[in-house]
Amino acid sequence: MTEILMPKATAVWLVDNTALTFEQIADFCGLHRLEVKGIADGDVAVGVRGSDPVSNGQLSREEISKAEADADYRMTAIKHRYDDLHQPRKKRGPRYTPLSRRQSRPDAIAWLVRNHPELTDPQISKLIGTTKTTIEAVRERTHWNSSNIKPTDPVTLGLTTQIDLDEQVRKASARREKLEEERRAAGQDPIAGPAEQEAEEQESATSMDEVNLETLFGGKKTQSDDDDR
């Protein structure tokens, strides 16, 4: 059933403006029958202003008429086209992988490491339901079955979906672009990694030390130069 806005205010309006039974109002508003009875008696929702469900598009006049004519009839709220988009996504638990596919995880890891190096270990772990230890073993070629690992698309293996893979790749790309912008703003090479950046800084410092007055003006005078004069 579609959840309605302001259920108590809606119940107040229905009690005051219709001949519906307490059960019908309670069922439509998601309230208890005794709570609706309390509203009618003035013991519940005191001071609450009624909300017309017809004017705000949650209920039709035809539904009210049908319910008033038949006490056993239960009204149905109007379901809008985009209601499903506003429903919160259910949190998924740990990904379960059938036993028949678990042996294919190293192949999927190798494919992701080779084709999507921007993905982090937690992202790979979330995609195919593996551990960080296994990912590191495949990446460093220390896995016990390294000689038989063949990089294979995890979507083809049935370990994940193309939608989930594209989502993780998009997140990783956005994170990488943000990092490159930060490095560029700091005057660093946006492409170079930490090790390369450190090497460049050391090389730059060494070259600056070598440039002094002697190198600029022909070097230090020697004894032979004095004798020629």
Side-chain angles (χ1 to χ4, degrees):
M1 179 180 175
T2 304
E3 295 183 359
I4 64 172
L5 300 174
M6 300 181 292
K8 284 190 177 181
T10 302
V12 170
W13 189 92
L14 292 173
V15 167
D16 294 338
N17 298 275
T18 67
L20 299 172
T21 64
F22 296 157
E23 289 81 5
Q24 288 173 313
I25 297 175
D27 185 79
F28 179 78
C29 297
L31 304 175
H32 193 275
R33 174 185 176 279
L34 295 178
E35 193 171 6
V36 177
K37 184 179 183 299
I39 292 175
D41 294 338
D43 300 326
V44 179
V46 179
V48 175
R49 183 177 180 180
S51 175
D52 184 359
V54 177
S55 62
N56 59 29
Q58 297 187 93
L59 187 63
S60 65
R61 287 287 181 183
E62 291 75 11
E63 280 291 290
I64 295 177
S65 299
K66 290 180 182 179
E68 289 178 335
D70 183 6
D72 295 329
Y73 183 81
R74 293 296 179 263
M75 297 181 296
T76 302
I78 298 175
K79 185 177 182 180
H80 296 282
R81 183 182 301 177
Y82 303 108
D83 280 350
D84 294 337
L85 299 178
H86 298 284
Q87 297 297 327
R89 295 181 61 183
K90 295 182 179 179
K91 294 183 179 180
R92 293 183 297 179
R95 182 183 297 275
Y96 172 76
T97 305
L99 293 174
S100 59
R101 297 178 182 174
R102 292 182 185 178
Q103 60 184 1
S104 302
R105 283 174 174 170
D107 296 340
I109 295 172
W111 188 91
L112 291 172
V113 169
R114 185 182 68 180
N115 294 279
H116 295 288
E118 69 274 12
L119 293 176
T120 62
D121 289 356
Q123 286 181 303
I124 296 176
S125 178
K126 182 179 180 180
L127 278 172
I128 61 179
T130 187
T131 63
K132 184 178 179 180
T133 302
T134 304
I135 298 173
E136 292 179 350
V138 173
R139 179 182 285 111
E140 298 174 2
R141 300 182 182 277
T142 58
H143 192 273
W144 65 272
N145 197 29
S146 293
S147 59
N148 296 321
I149 293 178
K150 298 180 180 179
T152 309
D153 189 345
V155 177
T156 303
L157 295 173
L159 295 175
T160 187
T161 64
Q162 189 64 50
I163 294 177
D164 290 341
L165 176 58
D166 293 342
E167 181 181 359
Q168 294 300 325
V169 171
R170 179 184 58 79
K171 290 181 179 179
S173 299
R175 182 176 60 250
R176 184 173 183 177
E177 291 177 0
K178 182 179 180 181
L179 179 61
E180 290 179 356
E181 290 178 359
E182 292 177 352
R183 293 175 65 86
R184 189 178 294 108
Q188 300 175 347
D189 185 357
I191 306 300
E196 296 175 351
Q197 182 68 23
E198 183 178 355
E200 291 179 359
E201 292 177 354
Q202 291 179 354
E203 181 180 356
S204 176
T206 303
S207 61
M208 288 298 295
D209 292 340
E210 293 176 352
V211 178
N212 49 36
L213 293 176
E214 295 178 359
T215 57
L216 288 174
F217 296 101
K220 186 177 180 179
K221 286 185 177 181
T222 60
Q223 184 64 31
S224 58
D225 294 337
D226 295 336
D227 294 341
D228 291 341
R229 292 181 179 180

